[in-house]
Each structure stands twice: as structure tokens, then as C-alpha cells.
Amino acid sequence: MNILTSTYTTQHNAAPFSQIQMSDYQPAFETTIAAARAEIDAITNNSSLPTFENTIEALDFSGQTLDRLSSIFFNLNSAETCDEMQKIAQEVSPLLTAFSNDVSLNEALFLRVKAVYDQRNKLSLSPEQATLLDKKYKSFARNGALLSEDKKSRLREIDTELAKLKLTFGENVLAETNNYQLHITNEADLKGLPEGAIEMARSLAESKEKEGWIFTLDFPSYLPFVTYADNRELRKEITIAAGKKAFQNNEFDNQEITLQIAKLRYERANLLGYETHAHFVLEERMAQNPNQVKTFLNDLLAKAKPAAEKEFAQLTAFAKELDGIDQLEKWDGPYYSEKLKQKLFNLDDELLKPYFKLENVLNGAFTIANKLFGLTFKEIDTIDKYHADVQTFEVLDEKNELVALFYADFFPRKGKRNGAWMTSFKPQYIQNGVNERPHISNVCNFTPPTPTKPSLLTFNEVTTLFHEFGHGLHGMLANTTYPSLSGTSVYWDFVELPSQMMENWCYEPEALALFAKHYETGEIIPQEYVEKIKESASFLEGMATLRQLSFGLLDMAFHSNNPTEITDIKAFEKTAFDGTSLYPDVAENCMSVSFSHIFQGGYSSGYYSYKWAEVLDADAFAYFQEKGIFNKEVATKFKENILSKGGTEHPMILYKRFRGQEPKPEALLKRAGLI
């Protein structure tokens, strides 16, 4: 019996990780795709006239076993992969793409959907049902249902090819990350590095049976090195190594793959009647079209650039004064920024880290969620984990009823991709009168514990934990009928609002007092540190804003133009970065080929949404500050109008219902110290 195709008998219907064999996946995909296909056939061949219930609703609830299997498999392929799993991913991705195309290009099915859509004004649908109908109709119309047969056939080829290319892109970046190590045997080369970073590097060397210390491109190892190591040559070496991932003309080179992805996306958009990939994507976003996005990014650029140039000049003068450096390079940025921050605010991560023990920070996030939304997190060990590092929690409401399961997976390891993300193993929806509760996961790569110290987080890691936890709350508090509108299934440029919103509490004395306690003495973080954290929050904000805008503009350069004319990715990238560059270019480096957000993840034509959501979150948090950061009335409005509503209505309608007005960019510019 294949556990992945059976009904789980686990507690809370949790994923049965310990019972899954690697050999189960391929046959399970084949079986569940066949079952989902049969469900689609039953909807298509239904002899009754098409109705909302027998067509639109039936479609949304179809393929649940396949969806559940896909979420388990692809989540593990990101968090706990191996060669065998990557091989299976390459084999099943084309099957899934083919099935997805078979649905969206099924003419008879589309005619049923269209029949319901055409009489939408006569049906008395709730806002959620109206949204679902609109979404289902567009999922066909925007994915080729109106195309001729030969064009449908080409669309299938493109989608299959894209699915494979995106997987290979990610595998190459992971391989290049794992292939590099900076092996130090001379203790003098460690000068400037914090004790925790040195200890972590020694542990890594010991685990590889080597003398000395090993640093890698994993963030908890890489970041402290470029921030604190006094040895400029070694900072240069590891910075260049990070920047040339998948840009080394070797078997893991992504230049051709990046170009192919961009060209296929462009061809796909043209096939569907859109000018570019960005025009296609942005039609279903708050921003609506590439011009709006470019105007938004360039307006922010105009406001941030003078501040960024001033900050860069200040940093350059500081490095010159301190070490006689004439030209700041990319490997100098984090190092001198940290030194200047220490000088101006007498504050550094090493001073703060003892107050941010991981367990305390996580409990702080839980406490804040309790104060705002009435949630309680109870750690349990009765459900399966996919790795010993994972913690599992029941999330309960004020009536002690289950709201969600929560998985927390915080440390780097070989089979885990870099970065931090939220995902789900099971969505929330209401079917047959039962409110199925979601299973949500936060995956991060934080500084791990060492033989002598617990996991102590940098302040940046603290805000990352709160960020992903904000996405998590969006998933956990979901309360919609249909799975495709639940939780984070919202317009992409709205999805970062709950996550970025939660980061705000990390800067508030009242919130920090709940969890920022010294891991040895229990002393609450001193008020002067809290004030310095707040003061330093907008330190070099102009430069940070410019960096974010450069990524958004690069994304737009690839996706709002015709990429068939690109012959040299590096030269193309350099031109896209022209208006935002502060540091001299590094010839050996190219960011595009490891820009996983847009070439592997779902952020193509959507990277701007980080900044877009900052406008929303600054405006939304201003409301909390006005009424009190733990004000129950504002929190309830946020929960009921944003967190629980998913994608059931247009995000601007939901936002205005919460806030009483449209968001104003002034709140962001003010917070960033740019006005």
C-alpha cells in the first residue's frame, strides 16, 4: 500500500513523513494525477446544465489528493532534498505541467465554465463565489483556452520546458552554494570575527574532518564573515564566490537557462495576446501593468537616490579615514557599514545577540500573536517531522479549538536551499460543513547552536523570523470556503503585507520587553539598546532602498521587454543596474543567474511587490501606532479583513475595509527617514 495515495490516519491528518519511502513518490504522482483527471472528466462530461456548484465549485475541490502530495513532495524538495529527490522532481514536473495544461486547454470544460461566467449577473453569488468564478474563468482564458489547436500545442511545449528549466536553475544554484568553502588554517585570518562565527566554522571543519575553520556561502556563515572579517582579501574572495554562483562556465552555469526562461515567458505571453510576460502577470496584480510598476519604482528611486549617494559618500569617507581605502568595493560594504553603525550608535549584532536566543524570539512571536489575535502555540511531539530539527505546534484559539498545525524548521543543512520562506502542507477550506484547518510551515536558515552556546540570532534574523511568521499567520488564520482563495492565495503584490507588517513589532519597546532577554542572566534588553535599534532602523536606508529597487528594475528589464535581443546576460544586467549602482562592477559576478526569486520562484514581474507591500505595511502599522500597538480593536479588524479573508475579494477593498482609506506612501518615506 502506498501511504501517499491512502487516507492518512494520523493525528490532525498530518503528513506521515516517517512512513514515506522515496520509491512511493513516482507511483503516487501517477495514481493521483489519474484520479484528478477522472474528477475533471466527471465535471466535463456531466449531462446536467453547467451551474456554479457542479462546475466552478466542483473544479476548486477537485484534485485534493494530488495537491496534498505535491505540497509534501515539493516542500521537502526545498527543505530536505537529495539527488534522488531532485531526479524524481525532474521526472514528475512534466507530468504535472501536462495535467495542468490538459485542464486549462480542455475546450469542453472551458465551455461549461464560460456558460456559468456568461450568466454571472443573474446568479446571486456571494463576493467570495463571484471572485472564484472570475478567477476560474481567467485561469482558462489567460492560459490558452481561446487558442487554436496548434497554438495550444506550442503552449504545452513551453510550459513543460519552463517547469524543467526552473528546477534545473534552482538545482544549479544549490550545487554552486554547496561546492564552495573558504578553508582557513591560519588563526590570524579570523581577526575581527565574532566568537560564535568562529565556533560555528570550527564545528563545520570538524564535521568534515578538517583542521581549522570552514566558511560557506550559507547565510549564517557568509554574512558574519563579510561583515566582521578584517582580512580584506578573504572578504573579497568569498564575496566574489557568492556573486559568481552559476556564472562560471561549468556544468552548473545558468546563463543559457536564464535566457531560455526569459525568452519562453515572452513567447508564452505573445501567444496569449500579451505584449510581454510582465503585461501578462501584472493584469492580475494590484499594480495592473508594467508602466505603473516602473513609475512606482522610479518615483521611489528619485526620492531614495540622493539619500543613498550621500550615505555612500559618508561610508567612503569613513573607510578612507579608518583604513586609507580610496575606493569602496562590494566586499567592503557590509564591513564598513557595521563599523560605522557601531561608531554612530555604539551598537552591533554581537552586543544584541545574547538578547535574542532563538527560543525566546519564537516565544515572543507567539506571545504577540496571542495578544493581537488570541492564539496559543502548544508544542507537541505526537506528529511526524521530516527532520529532527523541526519543531511542531498545535495552534489553538481562545476556545481552545484547533486553528492550525505549525512546523518550524530553522537551521541550515546540506539538502536545504538558502533563504527563508513560509509554505503549507495542507490548505484551509470548508467542505461538507467541516472547516479543514491548515498545516503551515516556516523554513529559515538561522545561526545554529554551537557546543557552548544556544542559537543566538542577529537582529536581521529576528526580523526574518517575524516576517515569515507574518506569512504563517496569513495561512493559519485563513477562513474561506474555497482552497484556491485561502490564506496566502492573494494578489502577489498583497502577499507581503502580513509578513512585513509583523516586522514592525521588533522595533517596539513594549514588544521587545516580552522576549528580548539575555540568555544567561534573563535581563531584559536595556532601554538604551532599544532606542538605538529604533534609531539605527533607518541607518543607510537610502542604500538599502536603492538595492531593493535595483532588483525590481532588473526583474522588469527581463520581463517587460523583448528578451530575444539579449545576447550577453552580464552586459544586460549592468545596463539595468545603471541608475542604481553605487559600487564598482565586479567583472566575475552576475546576479541574474542566481536570482532564484524571479527565475525559480514565483516573483517574475513581481519583485517590486516587496516595496509595494512596504507602503501598505507602513500605512497599516501607523494605524496601530495611533491606537496602541496591541490595540485589540485594530488587531481584530486586521485579522477579520486581511488575515482571514485570503483572496476572496480585491485586496484594495479589503485594505480599505481595515484601514478606512487607501494606503499613503508618506508613511513609508517617513519611516525610512527619506522625508
Side-chain angles (χ1 to χ4, degrees):
M1 187 187 81
N2 189 328
I3 185 70
L4 291 166
T5 56
S6 327
T7 307
Y8 306 152
T9 53
T10 50
Q11 183 185 3
H12 301 311
N13 193 17
F17 299 116
S18 64
Q19 300 172 57
I20 302 171
Q21 307 294 321
M22 203 56 80
S23 57
D24 290 337
Y25 285 117
Q26 184 94 24
F29 272 110
E30 287 165 9
T31 305
T32 54
I33 288 172
R37 207 179 280 285
E39 289 178 52
I40 295 296
D41 289 345
I43 298 166
T44 309
N45 303 326
N46 189 339
S47 55
S48 307
L49 282 172
T51 64
F52 181 83
E53 288 70 26
N54 72 19
T55 303
I56 307 302
E57 202 167 77
L59 259 177
D60 210 56
F61 285 118
S62 70
Q64 286 178 338
T65 314
L66 173 59
D67 291 344
R68 190 86 201 269
L69 164 63
S70 295
S71 67
I72 291 171
F73 176 78
F74 287 102
N75 284 337
L76 294 189
N77 192 39
S78 288
E80 186 60 11
T81 196
C82 59
D83 291 347
E84 197 182 343
M85 197 159 207
Q86 290 185 358
K87 190 166 171 286
I88 297 167
Q90 289 284 5
E91 283 162 10
V92 301
S93 286
L95 302 180
L96 290 165
T97 305
F99 169 64
S100 162
N101 280 334
D102 286 345
V103 175
S104 58
L105 300 175
N106 179 330
E107 201 165 341
L109 179 59
F110 175 57
L111 289 173
R112 286 188 70 87
V113 171
K114 189 174 182 303
V116 182
Y117 184 75
D118 287 345
Q119 51 171 331
R120 63 193 178 282
N121 296 333
K122 297 182 191 132
L123 308 170
S124 46
L125 301 176
S126 69
E128 183 176 356
Q129 289 173 324
T131 301
L132 184 71
L133 175 55
D134 188 58
K135 194 172 169 178
K136 286 289 175 236
Y137 176 77
K138 282 181 177 166
S139 76
F140 284 89
R142 283 169 52 80
N143 286 297
L146 303 166
L147 296 179
S148 61
E149 282 312 311
D150 58 327
K151 286 185 174 174
K152 280 182 181 175
S153 164
R154 179 57 191 144
L155 192 72
R156 285 173 186 279
E157 287 169 9
I158 291 173
D159 286 348
T160 304
E161 190 61 17
L162 276 172
K164 283 180 154 181
L165 286 168
K166 283 161 72 175
L167 272 174
T168 308
F169 184 97
E171 285 165 10
N172 287 346
V173 174
L174 184 63
E176 291 271 87
T177 304
N178 289 338
N179 285 348
Y180 175 84
Q181 53 183 49
L182 176 62
H183 185 198
I184 291 177
T185 49
N186 179 358
E187 197 166 348
D189 289 335
L190 302 170
K191 196 163 173 293
L193 284 166
E195 192 189 317
I198 294 172
E199 196 176 344
M200 197 167 100
R202 185 193 285 282
S203 290
L204 189 57
E206 280 169 5
S207 73
K208 293 178 185 282
E209 297 177 351
K210 295 232 172 114
E211 287 297 308
W213 304 264
I214 287 176
F215 294 87
T216 69
L217 299 180
D218 285 322
F219 259 50
S221 176
Y222 172 78
L223 213 54
F225 196 89
V226 294
T227 307
Y228 295 104
D230 290 339
N231 187 322
R232 193 181 186 208
E233 277 311 303
L234 290 179
R235 288 203 315 269
K236 177 179 178 179
E237 185 197 314
I238 199 168
T239 302
I240 290 177
K244 66 179 183 185
K245 285 186 304 224
F247 186 63
Q248 304 191 67
N249 293 314
N250 59 10
E251 61 182 305
F252 303 118
D253 193 279
N254 268 343
Q255 290 175 80
E256 192 46 45
I257 290 172
T258 303
L259 216 43
Q260 279 178 275
I261 292 172
K263 286 176 180 174
L264 286 169
R265 284 173 173 166
Y266 177 71
E267 187 189 344
R268 187 183 195 279
N270 286 175
L271 208 57
L272 293 165
Y274 293 87
E275 196 180 322
T276 67
H277 178 66
H279 287 84
F280 169 76
V281 169
L282 293 166
E283 185 180 66
E284 290 289 275
R285 300 281 197 267
M286 289 176 85
Q288 297 173 328
N289 60 60
N291 283 344
Q292 287 256 61
V293 172
K294 289 177 195 167
T295 301
F296 170 71
L297 293 174
N298 286 317
D299 280 356
L300 273 180
L301 179 59
K303 293 187 173 88
K305 196 168 182 176
E309 287 171 339
K310 199 168 150 192
E311 291 163 3
F312 190 70
Q314 182 189 16
L315 200 59
T316 303
F318 175 70
K320 170 92 172 155
E321 179 196 332
L322 202 64
D323 291 326
I325 300 230
D326 288 316
Q327 175 62 66
L328 265 193
E329 301 284 355
K330 285 185 179 164
W331 43 89
D332 297 319
Y335 180 77
Y336 288 106
S337 295
E338 187 60 32
K339 287 254 188 292
L340 180 58
K341 189 174 170 184
Q342 286 176 31
K343 183 187 168 189
L344 294 177
F345 304 103
N346 191 17
L347 184 75
D348 71 14
D349 271 331
E350 291 312 302
L351 201 63
L352 296 175
K353 275 166 81 171
Y355 295 95
F356 295 125
K357 181 180 163 187
L358 172 60
E359 291 76 2
N360 294 348
V361 177
L362 185 61
N363 283 329
F366 292 167
T367 305
I368 288 165
N370 178 267
K371 282 175 160 292
L372 292 170
F373 312 118
L375 300 176
T376 304
F377 291 75
K378 180 178 149 201
E379 188 159 13
I380 53 169
D381 56 10
T382 49
I383 60 168
D384 267 3
K385 306 170 175 193
Y386 55 84
H387 189 278
D389 284 351
V390 179
Q391 292 172 269
T392 47
F393 301 85
E394 283 178 336
V395 187
L396 307 167
D397 64 13
E398 280 137 323
K399 296 177 188 154
N400 221 27
E401 286 174 3
L402 186 78
V403 172
L405 285 185
F406 179 56
Y407 297 81
D409 177 2
F410 289 137
F411 304 120
R413 53 180 176 265
K414 193 173 183 293
K416 189 186 206 181
R417 70 175 166 89
N418 250 327
W421 61 94
M422 165 269 180
T423 185
S424 88
F425 285 104
K426 174 178 175 286
Q428 177 275 333
Y429 54 89
I430 300 168
Q431 194 176 20
N432 304 325
V434 178
N435 193 330
E436 293 282 347
R437 297 313 302 163
H439 300 175
I440 302 298
S441 172
N442 276 176
V443 189
C444 304
N445 283 277
F446 291 149
T447 307
T450 66
T452 62
K453 282 192 176 72
S455 171
L456 300 175
L457 304 187
T458 64
F459 187 68
N460 193 35
E461 288 176 323
V462 173
T463 57
T464 298
L465 186 148
F466 271 74
H467 179 101
E468 297 310 331
F469 186 65
H471 281 311
L473 290 170
H474 203 181
M476 291 177 229
L477 288 166
N479 196 24
T480 65
T481 304
Y482 304 110
S484 73
L485 300 178
S486 182
T488 54
S489 301
V490 298
Y491 274 9
W492 201 273
D493 46 8
F494 193 59
V495 81
E496 294 297 334
L497 167 61
S499 53
Q500 292 181 187
M501 176 77 163
M502 285 309 292
E503 289 182 40
N504 287 289
W505 275 268
C506 301
Y507 297 92
E508 296 295 321
E510 208 183 328
L512 284 166
L514 300 170
F515 65 88
K517 295 170 185 171
H518 197 287
Y519 78 102
E520 287 172 318
T521 65
E523 174 208 8
I524 288 182
I525 192 166
Q527 187 57 32
E528 61 175 304
Y529 288 5
V530 176
E531 278 159 21
K532 284 173 180 173
I533 287 172
K534 275 189 88 94
E535 260 178 62
S536 64
S538 58
F539 173 66
L540 301 187
E541 186 62 41
M543 285 171 67
T545 300
L546 220 60
R547 184 171 176 271
Q548 280 285 78
L549 294 175
S550 74
F551 298 161
L553 290 164
L554 178 65
D555 175 23
M556 280 292 120
F558 270 110
H559 294 117
S560 69
N561 300 302
N562 176 356
T564 57
E565 290 150 18
I566 304 171
T567 50
D568 180 334
I569 286 216
K570 168 73 181 180
F572 178 79
E573 173 179 293
K574 208 164 170 255
T575 306
F577 281 158
D578 260 357
T580 56
S581 301
L582 295 168
Y583 295 95
D585 180 58
V586 180
E588 305 97 307
N589 287 182
C590 178
M591 187 218 168
S592 303
V593 293
S594 62
F595 197 175
S596 300
H597 271 78
I598 67 168
F599 289 111
Q600 182 197 3
Y603 277 85
S604 66
S605 302
Y607 201 87
Y608 75 90
S609 55
Y610 281 106
K611 274 286 162 223
W612 187 276
E614 273 188 54
V615 169
L616 296 174
D617 100 70
D619 185 72
F621 193 66
Y623 190 22
F624 272 97
Q625 287 173 310
E626 220 175 275
K627 306 278 187 184
I629 64 161
F630 291 117
N631 182 288
K632 202 76 180 161
E633 185 196 341
V634 180
T636 303
K637 280 171 89 171
F638 192 69
K639 175 179 162 182
E640 287 176 358
N641 296 303
I642 309 281
L643 296 176
S644 69
K645 282 284 191 288
T648 54
E649 291 182 75
H650 191 284
M652 193 55 89
I653 293 172
L654 295 176
Y655 188 84
K656 278 162 52 178
R657 208 174 283 151
F658 153 68
R659 186 67 169 98
Q661 61 186 45
E662 289 203 0
K664 297 186 169 81
E666 285 71 27
L668 169 65
L669 296 168
K670 194 172 159 193
R671 183 176 73 185
L674 298 175
I675 55 170

